[in-house]
């Protein structure tokens, strides 16, 4: 008897018609065996998710399957009527979607959403559904499942929502689980827990997993076989050992080369020399606190405080990158906004070149902001979609009185665009006409337009593919070397910290729990939380794979 569970043969999915027809999944073939994990690896737009949606016949209205077969245990899914396909979804193939927040129904409890699958595919009574739902929540590691079964999605954290999605996918006891980027939006410690959970459930149930990801570290942990996708095609497919030992396709080699790491930093040997003297110190933060009052009762009396930032002290020198690392809710972004005086600070000092920013009036603070800029996590939402790129970049120039004439500002805009790797003609386009990486380059150009000395980078690469992330990091390093810029780099990505940072501060629950030279902190952590954070990072262990 063959071990193959799912055979995808020459799958082709297109968008558009006639001359506008584009194959977004282009002649894709692979086989998944019982009990194995098959990874589809590639960047945004490569066709990974559309391949999975084609298998499930859940494509958006604009897309349609134009060729190929999907054989599940000898049965061609494309020949089934929709009524029969509903029996396959959930019972034979389960799916975990990338974003649990949008995949869960906000007006149904966790128990009701898991119960839908049980009622549809297992024909259980209401009492039996409730009992089994509690068992599933317990199996995916949600504490107090008998109580939380009656809670709604907004009452769960991101990691817990993803666990509910896993419980829903497992409710029908599928033989194949499709996991579409199930850890992308999660913190590194939660990601490690979810991956460990999937491995455990696979061992317990014997199910096969089709795992979709852009992360080589996750791939090295999860995969038995890997197919690398680009532009809708599979460009390389091997077992994990062969792929990591000897990647062959240029695109696969490009993905491996783009991974930021301490080793890559050592090879490039492109360090910016930092002089940590008082004259070179751009920013001194001392005992910064940002508290939010908790109000209760009819008269909204203050009964306590949420200590979002609780006594943080940090220095940034010219030419230095100080990374602030921590998980969601640790206070990193709030600290960055507090430094810029974009929100009210409760206590502490923010000294920029010796001047206390919190003591400045609005006019003086506005002038200082030309020297301190911020690059936000989501470049699209931080730009006005109705403004041309030229106007977006020049907005700060006009506010700060930079450039004596429109001609000078236009010339400066062209130079800035070219400096960040874009073209002069891009100034006449709108934000929606650019890719995510190009938008982030525009945001960096906008920050540079007012000639800052210090840039706060708030997760500037977290939404980007690994190859685009590599380009942005290289750009930031070259700009730092050229202009002696100081960076306060807020991130949760340890690999990025290894590659770009000089010093690192680890934040946890509003406090800095460990701070020091990047090599010292990452190679020899002293704090228990830092150790836990570093141990959760998915790393490619080439020796173990070989």
């Amino acid at each position: 008897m063959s071990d193959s569970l799912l055979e995808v043969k020459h799958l082709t999915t297109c968008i558009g018609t006639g001359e506008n027809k584009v194959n977004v999944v282009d002649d894709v073939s692979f086989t998944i065996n019982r009990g194995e994990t098959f990874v589809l690896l590639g960047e945004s737009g490569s066709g990974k998710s559309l391949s999975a949606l084609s298998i499930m016949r859940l494509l958006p209205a604009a897309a349609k399957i134009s060729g190929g077969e999907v054989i599940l245990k000898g049965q061609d899914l494309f020949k089934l009527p929709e009524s029969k396909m509903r029996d396959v979804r959930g019972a034979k193939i389960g799916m975990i979607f990338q974003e649990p927040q949008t995949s869960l129904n906000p007006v149904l409890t966790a128990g009701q959403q898991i119960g839908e699958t049980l009622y549809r595919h297992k024909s259980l009574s209401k009492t039996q559904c409730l009992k089994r739902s509690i068992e599933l929540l317990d199996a995916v590691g949600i504490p107090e499942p008998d109580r939380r079964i009656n809670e709604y999605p907004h009452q769960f954290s991101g990691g817990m929502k993803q666990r509910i999605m896993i419980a829903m996918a497992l409710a029908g006891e599928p033989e194949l689980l499709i996991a579409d980027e199930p850890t992308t939006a999660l913190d590194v410690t939660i990601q490690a827990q979810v991956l460990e959970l999937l491995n455990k459930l696979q061992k317990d149930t014997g199910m096969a997993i089709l795992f979709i990801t852009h992360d080589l570290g996750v791939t090295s942990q999860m995969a038995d076989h890997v197919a690398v996708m680009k532009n809708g095609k599979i460009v390389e497919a091997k077992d994990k050992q062969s792929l990591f030992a000897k990647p062959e396709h240029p695109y696969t080699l490009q993905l491996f080369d783009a991974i930021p790491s301490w080793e890559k930093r050592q090879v490039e040997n492109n360090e910016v020399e930092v002089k940590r003297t008082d004259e070179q110190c751009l920013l001194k933060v001392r005992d910064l606190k940002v508290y939010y009052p908790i109000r209760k009762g009819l008269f909204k009396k203050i009964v306590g405080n949420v200590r979002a930032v609780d006594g943080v002290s940090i220095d940034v020198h010219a030419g230095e990158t100080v990374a602030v690392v921590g998980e969601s809710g640790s206070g990193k972004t709030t600290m960055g906004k507090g430094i810029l005086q974009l929100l009210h600070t409760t206590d502490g000092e923010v000294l920029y070149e010796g001047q206390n920013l919190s003591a400045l009036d609005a006019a003086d603070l506005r002038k200082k902001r030309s020297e301190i800029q911020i690059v936000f996590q989501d470049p699209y939402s931080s730009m006005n979609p109705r403004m041309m790129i030229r106007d977006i970049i020049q907005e700060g120039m006009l506010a700060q009185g930079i450039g004596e004439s429109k001609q000078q500002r236009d010339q400066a805009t062209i130079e800035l665009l070219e400096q960040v790797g874009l073209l002069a003609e891009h100034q006449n386009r709108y934000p929606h006409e650019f890719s995510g990486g190009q938008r982030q380059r525009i945001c960096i150009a906008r920050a540079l337009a007012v000639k800052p000395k210090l840039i706060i980078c708030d997760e500037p690469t977290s939404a980007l593919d690994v190859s685009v992330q590599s380009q942005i990091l290289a750009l930031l390093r070259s700009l730092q070397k050229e202009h002696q810029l100081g960076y306060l780099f807020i991130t949760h990505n340890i690999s990025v910290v290894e590659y770009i940072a000089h010093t690192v501060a680890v934040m946890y629950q509003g406090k800095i729990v460990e701070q020091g030279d990047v090599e010292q902190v990452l190679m020899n952590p002293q704090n228990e939380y830092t150790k836990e954070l570093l141990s959760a990072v998915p790393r490619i262990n080439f020796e173990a794979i070989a």
Side-chain angles (χ1 to χ4, degrees), residues 110-296:
Q112 287 172 323
Q113 298 191 58
I114 298 169
E116 282 181 338
T117 303
L118 292 168
Y119 181 78
R120 173 70 176 80
H121 296 293
K122 295 298 179 183
S123 301
L124 300 181
S125 68
K126 189 174 181 180
T127 304
Q128 288 172 324
C129 280
L130 178 62
K131 182 183 176 185
R132 181 60 182 147
S133 296
I134 291 171
E135 288 173 357
L136 284 163
L137 284 186
D138 187 46
V140 298
I142 290 183
E144 302 180 80
D146 50 344
R147 177 180 66 83
R148 305 211 71 180
I149 196 79
N150 296 314
E151 292 185 358
Y152 292 87
H154 72 272
Q155 295 175 278
F156 293 87
S157 67
M160 289 296 180
K161 285 174 192 163
Q162 197 60 287
R163 288 169 185 263
I164 294 169
M165 289 292 297
I166 294 170
M168 289 169 62
L170 293 174
E173 298 176 11
E175 295 174 78
L176 173 66
L177 179 67
I178 299 176
D180 185 6
E181 299 268 17
T183 62
T184 298
L186 304 180
D187 287 319
V188 66
T189 52
I190 306 298
Q191 173 181 267
Q193 293 168 16
V194 170
L195 296 180
E196 186 180 345
L197 172 63
L198 287 173
N199 279 324
K200 179 182 181 298
L201 293 170
Q202 185 178 41
K203 287 177 184 175
D204 292 345
T205 63
M207 67 182 176
I209 298 176
L210 173 58
F211 198 100
I212 295 168
T213 186
H214 65 272
D215 192 318
L216 277 161
V218 171
T219 300
S220 71
Q221 285 192 8
M222 297 295 291
D224 294 306
H225 288 85
V226 185
V228 182
M229 285 193 76
K230 183 186 182 186
N231 296 334
K233 294 179 179 287
I234 290 179
V235 297
E236 188 165 3
K238 292 178 177 177
D239 63 81
K240 179 175 69 175
Q241 285 76 9
S242 301
L243 184 80
F244 280 83
K246 193 179 179 183
E248 294 178 323
H249 192 275
Y251 177 67
T252 313
L253 292 167
Q254 180 187 332
L255 287 179
F256 275 90
D257 187 55
I259 302 170
S261 65
W262 182 258
E263 290 75 19
K264 183 179 180 182
R265 176 176 179 163
Q266 299 299 102
V267 169
E268 290 182 359
N269 193 24
N270 190 27
E271 290 296 309
V272 177
E273 187 179 347
V274 180
K275 296 176 182 176
R276 293 188 178 93
T277 62
D278 287 341
E279 293 77 23
Q280 293 292 311
C281 189
L282 295 173
L283 181 72
K284 278 184 185 286
V285 179
R286 292 294 176 265
D287 201 29
L288 182 67
K289 295 176 182 176
V290 181
Y291 293 176
Y292 297 110
I294 302 169
R295 299 176 185 271
K296 285 187 178 180

Side-chain angles (χ1 to χ4, degrees), residues 269-398:
N269 193 24
N270 190 27
E271 290 296 309
V272 177
E273 187 179 347
V274 180
K275 296 176 182 176
R276 293 188 178 93
T277 62
D278 287 341
E279 293 77 23
Q280 293 292 311
C281 189
L282 295 173
L283 181 72
K284 278 184 185 286
V285 179
R286 292 294 176 265
D287 201 29
L288 182 67
K289 295 176 182 176
V290 181
Y291 293 176
Y292 297 110
I294 302 169
R295 299 176 185 271
K296 285 187 178 180
L298 181 64
F299 298 104
K300 300 297 180 184
K301 183 181 178 183
I302 297 174
V303 296
N305 289 291
V306 174
R307 302 186 176 202
V309 180
D310 194 11
V312 164
S313 297
I314 203 164
D315 291 351
V316 183
H317 297 80
E320 180 180 31
T321 300
V322 178
V324 181
V325 185
E327 297 176 289
S328 301
S330 61
K332 310 184 301 295
T333 297
T334 304
M335 180 197 70
K337 289 179 178 177
I339 289 169
L340 277 168
Q341 306 296 299
L342 293 176
L343 48 77
H344 175 72
T345 56
T346 306
D347 198 5
E349 286 187 324
V350 178
L351 303 173
Y352 174 74
E353 293 189 327
Q355 196 165 21
N356 190 352
L357 296 183
S358 58
L360 298 179
D361 60 29
D364 289 335
L365 183 60
R366 195 177 300 115
K367 291 176 185 175
K368 279 296 174 189
R369 285 210 180 111
S370 68
E371 298 180 30
I372 313 172
Q373 287 291 296
I374 186 166
V375 176
F376 293 98
Q377 179 174 353
D378 184 353
Y380 189 65
S381 63
S382 64
M383 290 189 281
N384 188 328
R386 290 181 285 186
M387 288 174 70
M388 281 188 175
I389 301 307
R390 179 204 300 112
D391 300 322
I392 288 171
I393 291 174
Q394 291 184 16
E395 193 174 20
M397 293 183 187
L398 289 166

